[in-house]
Amino acid sequence: MPDALLEQVRGLAIEEAYGAVKSKGFPNQFAGDWKILNSGKGLVGRAFTVQFMPTRPDVAKAMQAEAEKRGAGRLGNQTVIDMLGPNDVIVVDLFGKTDGGTFVGDKLAYYIWKTTGTGMIVDGGMFWLKKLIPTGMPAYYRGTGPESLNNVMLTGINVPVRIGNATVMPGDVVLGDEEGVFFIPPHLVQGAIDAAQNTKARDEWIKSKMDLRQYKSSELYGRPKDPALLKEMEDYIKAHQPVKQSRVRSARTSFGRCHSLPSHRTGIHRKKLPAP
């Protein structure tokens, strides 16, 4: 995903892009009802997905053994944190757990922020918020508590995850604002940007007409009934289109670094587990 496109996404509101994505058959890309750290700052980047599950000893033991064979060391939150790079947004599926589901506190969150330049999304908990807020880092999380991460196991890195009602793939473009978080499949990003620009221009024109106080709302919104007004609006939209940027690469080449544990595939059942 080119950084130039990410910069264009940075100026969007979720509502401006939502319709274009949904109309292409992707209705499950929005997740809301968050607690938001530094609300109003916004969040844009490439999704780096992480999956945790409740601990099951036989599975955890087998996965840890495989990780050690690969030289990965102890599996935990820092396993994935140390894989992050610029413009990554870590998207953590902690199945809504907040009691002992605090993915990071102030020091690891600070590392994430300084490494990625973005923020984070945790469908679980965070803590040490008093120290985190002054940094200015944006983050979306479900709750907090005093206890560090426990009774969970790391089961996937850059695999499909569920965040609220959204299905997220690694490499999706993340757009976070005051409404929630929106995950845009890479091949739909340019279309979402174009649709958002149309919406911005349309809204500007409608409000400029409302400023005149000569029209009823139904004459302007949602679609002007007067053919002359309709043409004026369409001409305004055309005149306010930005210069086109190069098209985004296909989704097949944009998912980035994909890992799952232990077999680098999404199914842990591929490894034979020890007998109970």
Side-chain angles (χ1 to χ4, degrees):
M1 175 62 57
D3 288 343
L5 279 183
L6 290 180
E7 285 303 312
Q8 291 184 63
V9 172
R10 204 175 300 280
L12 305 185
I14 288 174
E15 291 89 343
E16 294 169 341
Y18 178 80
V21 174
K22 182 179 179 181
S23 69
K24 296 297 184 181
F26 291 79
N28 301 313
Q29 301 307 121
F30 174 77
D33 299 323
W34 297 94
K35 293 186 176 183
I36 306 176
L37 194 71
N38 291 310
S39 175
K41 190 157 187 180
L43 178 60
V44 171
R46 306 176 186 92
F48 188 108
T49 62
V50 183
Q51 181 191 67
F52 287 88
M53 290 185 184
T55 297
R56 174 172 162 151
D58 54 348
V59 176
K61 182 178 179 180
M63 294 175 69
Q64 183 60 54
E66 182 67 21
E68 289 174 1
K69 288 181 183 177
R70 297 169 184 245
R74 187 181 70 85
L75 296 176
N77 55 356
Q78 286 178 269
T79 304
V80 294
I81 289 170
D82 286 347
M83 294 179 178
L84 296 172
N87 283 325
D88 285 338
V89 175
I90 191 165
V91 180
V92 184
D93 176 7
L94 256 166
F95 51 93
K97 178 180 171 71
T98 56
D99 182 13
T102 47
F103 179 66
V104 289
D106 63 309
K107 290 175 285 295
L108 291 180
Y110 190 78
Y111 176 88
I112 290 170
W113 184 50
K114 287 299 181 179
T115 299
T116 64
T118 58
M120 70 181 77
I121 298 167
V122 182
D123 194 2
M126 296 173 60
F127 64 164
W128 290 96
L129 300 184
K130 187 174 182 178
K131 292 187 176 182
L132 277 174
I133 292 170
T135 67
M137 182 190 71
Y140 294 76
Y141 64 104
R142 298 301 188 189
T144 189
E147 200 170 354
S148 60
L149 189 65
N150 66 81
N151 198 26
V152 297
M153 57 184 183
L154 176 62
T155 52
I157 301 170
N158 270 341
V159 297
V161 295
R162 174 184 172 179
I163 302 294
N165 293 324
T167 298
V168 188
M169 291 292 291
D172 280 352
V173 172
V174 176
L175 171 59
D177 65 14
E178 295 86 348
E179 308 292 336
V181 288
F182 191 47
F183 304 97
I184 309 173
H187 64 292
L188 299 181
V189 170
Q190 184 65 64
I193 292 170
D194 293 345
Q197 294 296 341
N198 286 342
T199 299
K200 284 178 184 288
R202 173 177 171 267
D203 290 352
E204 287 173 1
W205 181 86
I206 289 173
K207 289 178 180 178
S208 71
K209 291 299 181 183
M210 288 179 173
D211 286 340
L212 300 176
R213 304 186 68 181
Q214 297 176 1
Y215 304 95
K216 295 185 180 299
S217 67
S218 57
E219 294 178 281
L220 301 170
Y221 178 77
R223 181 180 174 85
K225 297 177 176 63
D226 183 333
L229 280 175
L230 178 60
K231 185 178 186 306
E232 183 182 334
M233 182 185 75
E234 291 174 343
D235 289 344
Y236 185 92
I237 292 172
K238 289 177 183 176
H240 289 78
Q241 294 305 298
V243 177
K244 296 288 184 182
Q245 300 291 327
S246 59
R247 293 283 166 175
V248 66
R249 291 177 296 166
S250 71
R252 287 179 298 177
T253 62
S254 300
F255 287 157
R257 307 177 296 281
C258 292
H259 312 276
S260 63
L261 300 168
S263 61
H264 290 266
R265 293 184 171 86
T266 57
I268 59 174
H269 63 277
R270 292 179 181 271
K271 181 174 179 65
K272 186 177 180 181
L273 300 177

